[in-house]
Amino acid sequence: MQKNLVIVESPAKAKTIEKFLGKDYKVMSSYGHIRDLKTKEFSIDIEHNYTPQYVIPADKKKLVAELKTEAKSASQVWLASDEDREGEAISWHLYEVLGLKPQNTKRIVFHEITKNAILHAIETPRDINIDLVNAQQARRVLDRIVGFELSPILWRKVKPALSAGRVQSVAVRLIVEREREINDFVSEAAFRVIANFILPDGTTILKAELNKRLKDREEVKAFLESCKSTSFSIDDITTKPVKKSPAPPFTTSTLQQEAARKLGYSVSQTMMIAQRLYESGLITYMRTDSVNLSDLALGTTKEAIFDTYGEKYYKFRQYHTKSKGAQEAHEAIRPTYISNEDISGTAQEKKLYELIRKRTIACQMADAELERTTISIGIGDKKEKFVAVGEVIAFDGFLQVYRESSDDEGEKEQENGLLPPVSLHESLVLKDMVATERFTQRPPRYTEASLVRRLEELGIGRPSTYAPTIQTILNREYVVKGDKEGTQRSYCVISLSDNKIKEVDKVETVGSDRNKLMPTDIGAVVNDFLMEYFPSVLDYNFTASVEKEFDAVADGELDWTKAIDKFYKMFHPIVESTSAVRTEHKVGERELGIDPKSGKPVFVKIGRYGPVVQIGQARTDDKNAPKPQFATLMKGQSIETITLEEALKLFDLPRKIGEYEGAEVVAAVGRFGPFIRFKGKFVSIPKNLNPLTITMDESIELIEAKRSKDEQRFMKKFDEEPDLEILNGRYGPYIAYKGSNYRIPKSVEHPEELTLEECQKIIAEAAEKPAATKRRTAKKKS
């Protein structure tokens, strides 16, 4: 009989833990949850106190059978899933499904996978915390209620196959509202004036900026004109010490934000890499709200700072978590061994580890001490002043190791250089003065990192929910992460040099964005519909208050079913009344005007496959009436902003470009974007070309490039079996036959020499073992 069975969540963690425990312990993985609500059924018994109806998924049944067998033969079972609500629920499901007994089952928790932490956990077991389990059940049940009751309404009112979620819908609302702020934003112009002065030595230059912005060209010219005959002198010099303190150690959200800014990682990518580091025993648990560090971590960090930088660089700091209901209240994200400067792993893992290590060390380092000098330059008897600011680092402190980034536009740190020595009342000579027209900046679009920060500020979501929330709204195509081309804008530069005023108009590109979150038309329409009929579900305060109720459940202060009941009794009647509403137009439909050719109304709306323009209306009373015409919107067009003229141009497609090799070349837009149709084949039109303006030469170039690519892909065909081909794909040669693909064994050195009989044998052998392959794949995925 095996003495001890330890069950963890992931196989990677199991391998790491097995190193620390002796031969008396067997470590197995549950591969996450072994039980969940049914995928396609409601699975909540409303009548019986919202009881969840859990099932074991088909791909987990074999694993559960193995775990049951091992658990029965073990004298002690240790449930070692993660120390958060999700982890507690996994342990509870294991306890229930495996039929474990209290006398031989122990729950252990640790927030780092080190030998000391694992052995300490074994020495200090506890019972399953049913309050944490209930908090997880409450979230799961509430989200299932919202999803299953809202989604069918969206299918009928907006578009089939849509779905809604509680936190995801709020995230979409934030992105939609920001996009509309940007569209409605009107920038205001003002002139920024910078002057270069010559000091009394005749060579040294002092650069300074006017302490106010000037409104228009006339005011600028008048000011520059007055400066021709004005004296300039040093009015004031102030030098004061400035201290900068380091940022706290990482929580889940701050790690996601900083990894995005410094390393360019997406939120889900950061969590995936952090998970690997944690399971390899290199960092502490990566889902945490806490900025606390253990006494051991504080001690080893102090040693590292003393050894590397010296005593003067050290300052003890004890950080405390401010947010109420921090559910993972153990420790911040830090290296398990601060002395480990380097780790083995992928390049991404090494970069993220280095980021975490530097942040942890920096938080226990001394403040940076700077000396900031401000020089004020008087302009004759005018009220305005020119101001020069310079900074000198007297002591670098934590900046020796780490400097925090910012992802807000217009918030980039200003580089203030060293100022030349000057004396009070010293006279200066104006070298030149330049007034540049600047514009107020529109609100920035959200990045993944700034969206996480905003959700956290609003109290919406928890460490475990940020990454899946963003991934969900991207997968549902309510939001896209993409680029936006800027527009050209002219601006004016007025300068004074050699006593002459010169005015020049220049052009700049503004409003361009890369890798930012933008709502799709479907996302905006769904948001508007939910805001109209379910405002409470999308209300920021309500969503945050639900999170607080979950926290109260986790603390044992609230019965989870009472929290669900309160929500359901408010929510369900709204669902029923909204289902009964009949609207004249489809949700999101907008009338643009009248088509001058037909005299029929022109609409934009969400069609079955996305946003479309429609000319005319369908008539149910007359079957012989002409049907409406439809055209798909092109990439970059939106039902919110498209004009009548732009909409009508879409009906110029499909457009005959010309003839090539005796066949028509036609440009069109389809479900997957613009394309060229030629000899029954389709060639995608790249985003730098427009189907309305693409030329014959450009089309031929695309056709030939596709033809060349297809020729390289084709290896062999058989006249006696036209449905069978040998092709060269992304992962090497394969056999294509009647819509299915078959891998060619690696032992075949020359696939192009295969006979028809040999190909048929490969297909027949593959057909004999699909079930086994499928089972292996399923287990690997889980």
Side-chain angles (χ1 to χ4, degrees):
M1 179 187 271
Q2 179 68 46
K3 286 185 180 177
N4 295 279
L5 172 66
V6 181
I7 305 176
V8 296
E9 288 178 37
S10 73
K13 193 193 292 186
K15 284 180 185 176
T16 311
I17 290 172
E18 265 181 337
K19 295 176 193 172
F20 305 133
L21 298 172
K23 61 182 186 329
D24 290 339
Y25 289 83
K26 179 169 186 175
V27 186
M28 291 182 73
S29 168
S30 70
Y31 291 83
H33 276 280
I34 58 160
R35 193 169 69 161
D36 201 358
L37 301 174
K38 290 179 184 176
T39 309
K40 293 181 180 178
E41 293 180 28
F42 188 45
S43 297
I44 294 160
D45 190 344
I46 299 289
E47 301 300 320
H48 295 87
N49 223 11
Y50 304 95
T51 305
Q53 296 167 337
Y54 295 113
V55 293
I56 299 165
D59 63 344
K60 287 290 181 83
K61 284 186 176 173
K62 186 182 175 188
L63 172 66
V64 168
E66 289 170 3
L67 289 170
K68 271 185 179 176
T69 303
E70 293 292 339
K72 277 181 184 174
S73 61
S75 57
Q76 187 73 53
V77 178
W78 305 82
L79 300 174
S81 50
D82 292 336
E83 190 188 11
D84 57 13
R85 296 173 193 176
E86 209 68 35
E88 206 69 20
I90 288 171
S91 280
W92 178 73
H93 284 297
L94 284 165
Y95 183 87
E96 295 279 311
V97 171
L98 302 183
L100 303 178
K101 300 287 186 289
Q103 58 269 26
N104 69 334
T105 306
K106 291 179 179 176
R107 169 82 170 113
I108 56 171
V109 291
F110 40 83
H111 51 265
E112 61 182 57
I113 304 176
T114 59
K115 188 169 185 177
N116 287 342
I118 301 302
L119 295 179
H120 178 71
I122 295 281
E123 288 165 11
T124 55
R126 63 169 173 79
D127 294 329
I128 290 170
N129 185 332
I130 201 66
D131 293 328
L132 290 181
V133 173
N134 286 338
Q136 188 273 345
Q137 287 197 105
R139 179 186 291 279
R140 190 79 184 90
V141 167
L142 188 65
D143 289 346
R144 175 57 64 101
I145 289 170
V146 172
F148 262 69
E149 296 222 339
L150 275 188
S151 299
I153 296 176
L154 294 178
W155 303 342
R156 292 194 299 273
K157 306 285 186 184
V158 183
K159 178 178 172 283
L162 295 179
S163 57
R166 187 177 53 86
V167 177
Q168 297 94 317
S169 297
V170 173
V172 173
R173 177 188 168 185
L174 283 167
I175 294 163
V176 169
E177 287 181 347
R178 178 57 57 87
E179 194 68 22
R180 286 174 180 161
E181 281 177 47
I182 291 167
N183 291 338
D184 295 341
F185 182 77
V186 179
S187 64
E188 294 178 4
F191 284 81
R192 179 188 183 198
V193 185
I194 293 176
N196 287 304
F197 298 99
I198 303 170
L199 297 186
D201 65 4
T203 55
T204 307
I205 302 295
L206 176 62
K207 186 178 181 179
E209 182 176 346
L210 190 66
N211 63 355
K212 67 172 278 191
R213 297 283 171 108
L214 304 180
K215 289 179 185 176
D216 50 40
R217 297 185 188 213
E218 285 66 36
E219 189 180 1
V220 170
K221 287 178 192 172
F223 178 77
L224 295 188
E225 192 65 46
S226 69
C227 286
K228 286 182 180 180
S229 55
T230 302
S231 60
F232 301 92
S233 63
I234 305 292
D235 268 5
D236 186 43
I237 306 166
T238 58
T239 301
K240 63 177 182 179
V242 177
K243 284 191 176 184
K244 284 186 178 178
S245 298
F250 281 129
T251 60
T252 302
S253 66
T254 54
L255 176 64
Q256 289 169 348
Q257 291 165 50
E258 205 59 343
R261 293 185 290 234
K262 278 189 158 57
L263 306 176
Y265 295 167
S266 69
V267 167
S268 57
Q269 192 179 12
T270 298
M271 292 312 290
M272 184 179 66
I273 299 164
Q275 177 102 24
R276 292 203 296 264
L277 292 173
Y278 167 66
E279 290 177 346
S280 302
L282 297 168
I283 64 169
T284 53
Y285 192 53
M286 66 285 158
R287 292 191 185 96
T288 175
D289 281 341
S290 176
V291 288
N292 179 48
L293 291 174
S294 68
D295 292 340
L296 179 64
L298 291 169
T300 54
T301 304
K302 179 181 178 180
E303 284 175 26
I305 294 167
F306 269 56
D307 292 348
T308 310
Y309 306 103
E311 186 177 347
K312 68 175 182 176
Y313 276 90
Y314 172 73
K315 182 178 179 179
F316 173 76
R317 299 173 196 272
Q318 186 77 61
Y319 294 95
H320 298 285
T321 306
K322 292 177 184 176
S323 61
K324 166 80 175 78
Q327 59 168 289
E328 283 74 44
H330 31 69
E331 231 187 317
I333 304 168
R334 61 163 176 84
T336 48
Y337 300 103
I338 204 81
S339 55
N340 285 354
E341 284 188 45
D342 301 308
I343 60 161
S344 59
T346 64
Q348 288 180 329
E349 288 167 6
K350 288 179 178 180
K351 284 178 185 175
L352 192 67
Y353 177 83
E354 183 186 29
L355 189 72
I356 293 166
R357 184 176 183 274
K358 285 184 173 179
R359 176 89 162 214
T360 308
I361 290 173
C363 83
Q364 294 300 307
M365 292 181 74
D367 291 336
E369 296 172 12
L370 294 87
E371 208 171 64
R372 182 173 292 156
T373 302
T374 305
I375 299 171
S376 180
I377 300 163
I379 312 166
D381 56 0
K382 291 179 184 291
K383 289 181 181 177
E384 295 91 352
K385 307 280 182 188
F386 277 97
V387 178
V389 180
E391 271 183 358
V392 179
I393 295 176
F395 174 61
D396 55 2
F398 76 93
L399 293 177
Q400 172 91 241
V401 175
Y402 189 87
R403 188 185 294 258
E404 192 177 23
S405 299
S406 165
D407 59 4
D408 279 354
E409 291 176 12
E411 215 181 89
K412 294 187 173 83
E413 194 169 330
Q414 185 181 340
E415 293 295 327
N416 293 320
L418 185 63
L419 297 176
V422 292
S423 303
L424 203 59
H425 309 308
E426 214 165 41
S427 292
L428 307 177
V429 175
L430 178 67
K431 180 176 181 285
D432 54 45
M433 195 179 290
V434 178
T436 308
E437 191 177 17
R438 294 291 81 200
F439 299 84
T440 50
Q441 288 188 320
R442 60 164 174 77
R445 287 186 174 91
Y446 285 108
T447 60
E448 287 194 13
S450 61
L451 180 63
V452 165
R453 188 177 69 193
R454 185 68 184 127
L455 289 169
E456 189 179 38
E457 285 169 356
L458 291 167
I460 295 166
R462 288 294 181 261
S464 59
T465 64
Y466 300 132
T469 294
I470 291 172
Q471 201 55 53
T472 299
I473 62 177
L474 288 169
N475 290 347
R476 288 178 179 167
E477 296 182 353
Y478 291 160
V479 169
V480 290
K481 193 162 68 168
D483 305 336
K484 196 85 169 178
E485 289 184 20
T487 54
Q488 297 283 299
R489 176 174 69 190
S490 64
Y491 68 100
C492 177
V493 178
I494 306 171
S495 58
L496 169 63
S497 182
D498 297 327
N499 238 26
K500 292 177 185 173
I501 295 174
K502 187 179 173 183
E503 189 174 341
V504 179
D505 284 323
K506 295 186 176 183
V507 175
E508 62 186 350
T509 301
V510 294
S512 59
D513 264 327
R514 289 190 62 78
N515 222 24
K516 297 290 178 69
L517 297 172
M518 292 173 272
T520 61
D521 280 330
I522 292 171
V525 168
V526 168
N527 175 74
D528 291 349
F529 175 76
L530 295 177
M531 282 296 292
E532 183 177 352
Y533 293 101
F534 298 92
S536 57
V537 176
L538 268 69
D539 181 76
Y540 300 137
N541 292 329
F542 169 76
T543 311
S545 72
V546 169
E547 295 290 355
K548 287 178 182 173
E549 288 193 347
F550 292 159
D551 294 338
V553 172
D555 293 337
E557 297 167 2
L558 179 65
D559 184 322
W560 76 272
T561 58
K562 286 180 181 174
I564 298 297
D565 188 56
K566 178 179 148 193
F567 172 82
Y568 189 75
K569 283 175 178 169
M570 173 277 295
F571 177 68
H572 187 67
I574 304 172
V575 171
E576 290 187 321
S577 62
T578 306
S579 296
V581 170
R582 295 286 176 267
T583 52
E584 188 180 338
H585 294 288
K586 203 167 182 185
V587 173
E589 192 171 294
R590 184 166 77 92
E591 188 170 343
L592 299 179
I594 301 296
D595 172 26
K597 290 180 184 175
S598 65
K600 293 177 180 177
V602 181
F603 303 92
V604 278
K605 65 178 187 180
I606 300 296
R608 186 174 181 82
Y609 300 113
V612 293
V613 180
Q614 174 182 324
I615 297 178
Q617 289 178 304
R619 287 182 60 183
T620 53
D621 59 332
D622 184 359
K623 290 182 181 179
N624 297 319
K627 292 182 178 178
Q629 291 176 269
F630 294 94
T632 306
L633 267 66
M634 286 197 288
K635 194 171 181 181
Q637 291 181 322
S638 164
I639 63 174
E640 286 200 21
T641 56
I642 193 169
T643 63
L644 177 63
E645 185 185 2
E646 290 166 340
L648 291 173
K649 271 187 183 176
L650 296 172
F651 289 91
D652 293 343
L653 299 171
R655 165 181 159 249
K656 184 180 175 182
I657 303 168
E659 286 195 3
Y660 180 55
E661 297 178 351
E664 271 192 354
V665 178
V666 176
V669 174
R671 187 179 168 191
F672 303 107
F675 63 88
I676 289 165
R677 187 171 64 239
F678 174 68
K679 289 187 176 179
K681 293 194 174 181
F682 302 92
V683 183
S684 292
I685 297 176
K687 64 180 179 181
N688 61 315
L689 296 172
N690 188 323
L692 291 165
T693 56
I694 190 170
T695 65
M696 194 64 197
D697 288 342
E698 289 166 338
S699 302
I700 291 169
E701 195 177 325
L702 292 174
I703 290 165
E704 289 299 336
K706 176 83 163 52
R707 186 176 278 171
S708 174
K709 190 176 177 182
D710 287 347
E711 282 171 1
Q712 289 171 9
R713 182 170 169 257
F714 178 78
M715 294 181 76
K716 192 172 185 178
K717 195 166 186 170
F718 300 93
D719 292 337
E720 58 270 47
E721 185 57 271
D723 288 338
L724 196 150
E725 291 178 316
I726 301 175
L727 303 173
N728 192 14
R730 187 178 170 189
Y731 302 107
Y734 66 95
I735 296 165
Y737 180 59
K738 291 186 176 179
S740 295
N741 299 332
Y742 301 89
R743 188 183 296 161
I744 295 172
K746 288 181 181 177
S747 56
V748 178
E749 291 185 13
H750 302 287
E752 70 281 358
E753 294 177 7
L754 284 169
T755 64
L756 176 60
E757 290 73 23
E758 287 169 332
C759 289
Q760 288 171 332
K761 186 183 177 185
I762 290 169
I763 292 168
E765 286 173 355
E768 289 172 8
K769 49 181 179 182
T773 308
K774 189 175 179 182
R775 270 200 303 275
R776 280 200 302 275
T777 307
K779 187 170 180 181
K780 189 177 178 183
K781 279 182 182 176
S782 62

mmCIF file of all heavy atoms in Angstrom, residues 645-666:
data_model
loop_
_atom_site.group_PDB
_atom_site.id
_atom_site.type_symbol
_atom_site.label_atom_id
_atom_site.label_comp_id
_atom_site.label_asym_id
_atom_site.label_seq_id
_atom_site.Cartn_x
_atom_site.Cartn_y
_atom_site.Cartn_z
ATOM 1 N N GLU A 645 -22.574 58.237 -48.438
ATOM 2 C CA GLU A 645 -21.734 58.153 -49.642
ATOM 3 C C GLU A 645 -20.815 56.941 -49.583
ATOM 4 O O GLU A 645 -20.686 56.183 -50.548
ATOM 5 C CB GLU A 645 -20.905 59.445 -49.759
ATOM 6 C CG GLU A 645 -20.085 59.517 -51.025
ATOM 7 C CD GLU A 645 -19.182 60.749 -51.050
ATOM 8 O OE1 GLU A 645 -19.172 61.518 -50.061
ATOM 9 O OE2 GLU A 645 -18.494 60.929 -52.064
ATOM 10 N N GLU A 646 -20.168 56.729 -48.412
ATOM 11 C CA GLU A 646 -19.263 55.573 -48.264
ATOM 12 C C GLU A 646 -20.039 54.263 -48.361
ATOM 13 O O GLU A 646 -19.563 53.284 -48.953
ATOM 14 C CB GLU A 646 -18.554 55.636 -46.903
ATOM 15 C CG GLU A 646 -17.525 56.753 -46.800
ATOM 16 C CD GLU A 646 -17.075 57.010 -45.354
ATOM 17 O OE1 GLU A 646 -17.796 56.612 -44.408
ATOM 18 O OE2 GLU A 646 -16.007 57.620 -45.173
ATOM 19 N N ALA A 647 -21.255 54.244 -47.810
ATOM 20 C CA ALA A 647 -22.079 53.023 -47.837
ATOM 21 C C ALA A 647 -22.484 52.662 -49.266
ATOM 22 O O ALA A 647 -22.416 51.499 -49.673
ATOM 23 C CB ALA A 647 -23.313 53.217 -46.962
ATOM 24 N N LEU A 648 -22.901 53.657 -50.040
ATOM 25 C CA LEU A 648 -23.350 53.393 -51.413
ATOM 26 C C LEU A 648 -22.204 52.931 -52.306
ATOM 27 O O LEU A 648 -22.416 52.156 -53.249
ATOM 28 C CB LEU A 648 -24.017 54.647 -51.996
ATOM 29 C CG LEU A 648 -25.368 55.019 -51.360
ATOM 30 C CD1 LEU A 648 -25.856 56.361 -51.886
ATOM 31 C CD2 LEU A 648 -26.411 53.925 -51.604
ATOM 32 N N LYS A 649 -20.972 53.379 -52.020
ATOM 33 C CA LYS A 649 -19.810 52.946 -52.812
ATOM 34 C C LYS A 649 -19.598 51.440 -52.709
ATOM 35 O O LYS A 649 -19.071 50.812 -53.629
ATOM 36 C CB LYS A 649 -18.543 53.669 -52.314
ATOM 37 C CG LYS A 649 -18.283 54.986 -53.009
ATOM 38 C CD LYS A 649 -16.932 55.533 -52.578
ATOM 39 C CE LYS A 649 -16.686 56.898 -53.211
ATOM 40 N NZ LYS A 649 -15.424 57.490 -52.744
ATOM 41 N N LEU A 650 -19.985 50.855 -51.585
ATOM 42 C CA LEU A 650 -19.799 49.419 -51.386
ATOM 43 C C LEU A 650 -20.610 48.598 -52.389
ATOM 44 O O LEU A 650 -20.288 47.438 -52.654
ATOM 45 C CB LEU A 650 -20.181 49.022 -49.952
ATOM 46 C CG LEU A 650 -19.320 49.632 -48.833
ATOM 47 C CD1 LEU A 650 -19.913 49.312 -47.473
ATOM 48 C CD2 LEU A 650 -17.885 49.111 -48.916
ATOM 49 N N PHE A 651 -21.671 49.213 -52.956
ATOM 50 C CA PHE A 651 -22.499 48.491 -53.932
ATOM 51 C C PHE A 651 -21.872 48.507 -55.327
ATOM 52 O O PHE A 651 -22.414 47.927 -56.263
ATOM 53 C CB PHE A 651 -23.921 49.063 -53.943
ATOM 54 C CG PHE A 651 -24.676 48.715 -52.698
ATOM 55 C CD1 PHE A 651 -24.643 49.558 -51.591
ATOM 56 C CD2 PHE A 651 -25.384 47.528 -52.607
ATOM 57 C CE1 PHE A 651 -25.317 49.226 -50.430
ATOM 58 C CE2 PHE A 651 -26.052 47.184 -51.447
ATOM 59 C CZ PHE A 651 -26.023 48.039 -50.343
ATOM 60 N N ASP A 652 -20.708 49.161 -55.453
ATOM 61 C CA ASP A 652 -19.925 49.065 -56.694
ATOM 62 C C ASP A 652 -19.212 47.717 -56.747
ATOM 63 O O ASP A 652 -18.568 47.383 -57.751
ATOM 64 C CB ASP A 652 -18.900 50.198 -56.772
ATOM 65 C CG ASP A 652 -19.569 51.561 -56.920
ATOM 66 O OD1 ASP A 652 -20.764 51.582 -57.287
ATOM 67 O OD2 ASP A 652 -18.918 52.590 -56.654
ATOM 68 N N LEU A 653 -19.252 46.981 -55.653
ATOM 69 C CA LEU A 653 -18.656 45.657 -55.591
ATOM 70 C C LEU A 653 -19.761 44.604 -55.698
ATOM 71 O O LEU A 653 -20.865 44.840 -55.200
ATOM 72 C CB LEU A 653 -17.897 45.485 -54.263
ATOM 73 C CG LEU A 653 -16.729 46.448 -54.020
ATOM 74 C CD1 LEU A 653 -16.211 46.311 -52.599
ATOM 75 C CD2 LEU A 653 -15.588 46.198 -55.004
ATOM 76 N N PRO A 654 -19.528 43.426 -56.310
ATOM 77 C CA PRO A 654 -18.305 43.040 -57.002
ATOM 78 C C PRO A 654 -18.010 43.959 -58.205
ATOM 79 O O PRO A 654 -18.939 44.390 -58.885
ATOM 80 C CB PRO A 654 -18.578 41.617 -57.465
ATOM 81 C CG PRO A 654 -19.779 41.161 -56.684
ATOM 82 C CD PRO A 654 -20.554 42.387 -56.357
ATOM 83 N N ARG A 655 -16.729 44.216 -58.439
ATOM 84 C CA ARG A 655 -16.299 45.129 -59.492
ATOM 85 C C ARG A 655 -15.406 44.390 -60.487
ATOM 86 O O ARG A 655 -14.405 43.799 -60.099
ATOM 87 C CB ARG A 655 -15.537 46.276 -58.822
ATOM 88 C CG ARG A 655 -14.723 47.131 -59.737
ATOM 89 C CD ARG A 655 -13.985 48.235 -58.968
ATOM 90 N NE ARG A 655 -12.869 48.734 -59.719
ATOM 91 C CZ ARG A 655 -11.598 48.544 -59.409
ATOM 92 N NH1 ARG A 655 -11.279 47.871 -58.321
ATOM 93 N NH2 ARG A 655 -10.634 49.027 -60.160
ATOM 94 N N LYS A 656 -15.789 44.445 -61.763
ATOM 95 C CA LYS A 656 -14.963 43.813 -62.795
ATOM 96 C C LYS A 656 -13.763 44.711 -63.080
ATOM 97 O O LYS A 656 -13.917 45.877 -63.466
ATOM 98 C CB LYS A 656 -15.775 43.593 -64.069
ATOM 99 C CG LYS A 656 -14.988 42.862 -65.146
ATOM 100 C CD LYS A 656 -15.797 42.631 -66.408
ATOM 101 C CE LYS A 656 -14.903 42.019 -67.481
ATOM 102 N NZ LYS A 656 -15.612 41.814 -68.748
ATOM 103 N N ILE A 657 -12.554 44.159 -62.842
ATOM 104 C CA ILE A 657 -11.328 44.947 -63.042
ATOM 105 C C ILE A 657 -10.882 44.852 -64.500
ATOM 106 O O ILE A 657 -10.385 45.809 -65.081
ATOM 107 C CB ILE A 657 -10.212 44.441 -62.098
ATOM 108 C CG1 ILE A 657 -10.685 44.501 -60.641
ATOM 109 C CG2 ILE A 657 -8.943 45.257 -62.252
ATOM 110 C CD1 ILE A 657 -9.790 43.766 -59.664
ATOM 111 N N GLY A 658 -11.045 43.648 -65.094
ATOM 112 C CA GLY A 658 -10.620 43.445 -66.484
ATOM 113 C C GLY A 658 -10.551 41.962 -66.787
ATOM 114 O O GLY A 658 -11.185 41.152 -66.105
ATOM 115 N N GLU A 659 -9.783 41.608 -67.837
ATOM 116 C CA GLU A 659 -9.617 40.202 -68.218
ATOM 117 C C GLU A 659 -8.152 39.832 -68.207
ATOM 118 O O GLU A 659 -7.286 40.636 -68.540
ATOM 119 C CB GLU A 659 -10.217 39.945 -69.609
ATOM 120 C CG GLU A 659 -11.730 39.916 -69.597
ATOM 121 C CD GLU A 659 -12.304 39.303 -70.879
ATOM 122 O OE1 GLU A 659 -11.525 38.853 -71.725
ATOM 123 O OE2 GLU A 659 -13.543 39.285 -71.002
ATOM 124 N N TYR A 660 -7.872 38.578 -67.813
ATOM 125 C CA TYR A 660 -6.497 38.066 -67.786
ATOM 126 C C TYR A 660 -6.558 36.595 -68.183
ATOM 127 O O TYR A 660 -7.372 35.832 -67.652
ATOM 128 C CB TYR A 660 -5.915 38.233 -66.378
ATOM 129 C CG TYR A 660 -4.493 37.740 -66.220
ATOM 130 C CD1 TYR A 660 -3.470 38.206 -67.039
ATOM 131 C CD2 TYR A 660 -4.171 36.807 -65.231
ATOM 132 C CE1 TYR A 660 -2.173 37.768 -66.888
ATOM 133 C CE2 TYR A 660 -2.866 36.365 -65.052
ATOM 134 C CZ TYR A 660 -1.870 36.848 -65.895
ATOM 135 O OH TYR A 660 -0.573 36.411 -65.740
ATOM 136 N N GLU A 661 -5.760 36.241 -69.171
ATOM 137 C CA GLU A 661 -5.737 34.860 -69.684
ATOM 138 C C GLU A 661 -7.132 34.412 -70.113
ATOM 139 O O GLU A 661 -7.554 33.272 -69.887
ATOM 140 C CB GLU A 661 -5.170 33.893 -68.622
ATOM 141 C CG GLU A 661 -3.720 34.198 -68.271
ATOM 142 C CD GLU A 661 -3.170 33.265 -67.183
ATOM 143 O OE1 GLU A 661 -3.982 32.507 -66.584
ATOM 144 O OE2 GLU A 661 -1.961 33.295 -66.937
ATOM 145 N N GLY A 662 -7.894 35.371 -70.676
ATOM 146 C CA GLY A 662 -9.216 35.050 -71.209
ATOM 147 C C GLY A 662 -10.294 34.889 -70.163
ATOM 148 O O GLY A 662 -11.400 34.452 -70.474
ATOM 149 N N ALA A 663 -10.006 35.234 -68.899
ATOM 150 C CA ALA A 663 -11.013 35.089 -67.839
ATOM 151 C C ALA A 663 -11.180 36.413 -67.090
ATOM 152 O O ALA A 663 -10.257 37.234 -67.028
ATOM 153 C CB ALA A 663 -10.594 33.998 -66.857
ATOM 154 N N GLU A 664 -12.373 36.614 -66.536
ATOM 155 C CA GLU A 664 -12.675 37.840 -65.786
ATOM 156 C C GLU A 664 -11.908 37.899 -64.474
ATOM 157 O O GLU A 664 -11.751 36.895 -63.789
ATOM 158 C CB GLU A 664 -14.178 37.906 -65.458
ATOM 159 C CG GLU A 664 -15.017 38.583 -66.511
ATOM 160 C CD GLU A 664 -16.436 38.870 -66.007
ATOM 161 O OE1 GLU A 664 -16.776 38.438 -64.888
ATOM 162 O OE2 GLU A 664 -17.185 39.523 -66.733
ATOM 163 N N VAL A 665 -11.454 39.120 -64.142
ATOM 164 C CA VAL A 665 -10.850 39.371 -62.831
ATOM 165 C C VAL A 665 -11.810 40.297 -62.091
ATOM 166 O O VAL A 665 -12.094 41.408 -62.547
ATOM 167 C CB VAL A 665 -9.457 40.035 -62.965
ATOM 168 C CG1 VAL A 665 -8.877 40.334 -61.584
ATOM 169 C CG2 VAL A 665 -8.523 39.144 -63.769
ATOM 170 N N VAL A 666 -12.328 39.820 -60.952
ATOM 171 C CA VAL A 666 -13.364 40.558 -60.219
ATOM 172 C C VAL A 666 -12.904 40.823 -58.789
ATOM 173 O O VAL A 666 -12.380 39.924 -58.113
ATOM 174 C CB VAL A 666 -14.693 39.760 -60.199
ATOM 175 C CG1 VAL A 666 -15.747 40.469 -59.359
ATOM 176 C CG2 VAL A 666 -15.202 39.542 -61.625
#
